Amino acid sequence: MSSFGLRFRRGMPILPALLLLLLLTVAPAQAQALDCSGAQTQVEINECSEKEYARADADLNKAYRDLMARVDDGEERALLRKAQRAWITFRDAHCDFMTSDSRDGSIYPALFAGCLADLTIKRTAELRADCQEGDIACP
C-alpha cells in the first residue's frame, strides 16, 4: 500500500491532514506584524517600503481632504482637484522613470514604493504649507 493510501483511524488521509497541520502552523507566523526596523530579506524590505508608502498616501489624502474642506469657492476646488490629479500623474511617471533601471530586479518594488513615499511626503507638506489655519492668503 502506498503512503497516500494510509489513513487515520477515522478515515482521514494522511496527506490532507499534514497539509492542514502545516497551514495551521504557518498562518499564525504570517499574521504577525513585520518589524520594519529589522527588515533583512528583500521580501521584508519590499513589504516595509510598501507600508511606508501606504502610510504616506493616507496622510496625503487627509491633508488633501482638509484643504478641500477649507476651500469654499467651486472654481478653486476644481483647480485644486485638477492640480492634485496632475501631481499624481507626475509622481507616478517620475517614479517609473527613476526606477526603470531596476524594473527586472527583486529590489524594484522597494525602490518604486520608496520613490512614491518620498514624493508623497513632500506633497503632503506642500498641501499643509499652502494653507495654514488663519492664513489670509488661503482660500
Side-chain angles (χ1 to χ4, degrees), residues 49 52-54 56 91 95 112-122:
S49 295
E52 179 186 0
Y53 166 62
R91 178 200 61 191
C95 289
F112 188 73
C115 180
L116 293 174
D118 289 345
L119 292 179
T120 300
I121 290 166
K122 290 174 184 172

Side-chain angles (χ1 to χ4, degrees), residues 79-119:
L79 289 171
L80 176 57
R81 186 176 299 110
K82 180 180 177 182
Q84 188 64 11
R85 287 178 179 165
W87 177 83
I88 290 169
T89 299
F90 160 77
R91 178 200 61 191
D92 294 350
H94 179 74
C95 289
D96 278 340
F97 169 71
M98 294 302 292
T99 60
S100 62
D101 287 346
S102 65
R103 187 159 296 149
D104 295 328
S106 61
I107 197 170
Y108 174 74
L111 293 177
F112 188 73
C115 180
L116 293 174
D118 289 345
L119 292 179

Side-chain angles (χ1 to χ4, degrees), residues 4-135:
F4 291 108
L6 296 176
R7 298 191 177 274
F8 288 116
R9 283 188 231 167
R10 295 191 176 134
M12 183 178 211
I14 288 179
L15 186 58
L18 289 175
L19 289 174
L20 178 62
L21 180 61
L22 179 65
L23 286 174
L24 291 174
T25 58
V26 171
Q30 290 179 339
Q32 294 175 0
L34 176 63
D35 176 14
C36 289
S37 65
Q40 294 181 358
T41 69
Q42 192 60 57
V43 171
E44 291 171 339
I45 293 167
N46 291 349
E47 185 177 332
C48 290
S49 295
E50 290 167 10
K51 285 181 179 183
E52 179 186 0
Y53 166 62
R55 282 190 299 272
D57 190 52
D59 198 28
L60 172 69
N61 289 331
K62 182 180 181 333
Y64 175 76
R65 282 191 310 272
D66 290 349
L67 184 54
M68 285 293 276
R70 287 197 298 263
V71 176
D72 294 331
D73 184 89
E75 183 180 343
E76 288 177 350
R77 288 174 65 89
L79 289 171
L80 176 57
R81 186 176 299 110
K82 180 180 177 182
Q84 188 64 11
R85 287 178 179 165
W87 177 83
I88 290 169
T89 299
F90 160 77
R91 178 200 61 191
D92 294 350
H94 179 74
C95 289
D96 278 340
F97 169 71
M98 294 302 292
T99 60
S100 62
D101 287 346
S102 65
R103 187 159 296 149
D104 295 328
S106 61
I107 197 170
Y108 174 74
L111 293 177
F112 188 73
C115 180
L116 293 174
D118 289 345
L119 292 179
T120 300
I121 290 166
K122 290 174 184 172
R123 177 63 176 163
T124 302
E126 290 171 357
L127 290 178
R128 289 191 174 135
D130 281 349
C131 195
Q132 295 297 322
E133 196 163 330
D135 185 351

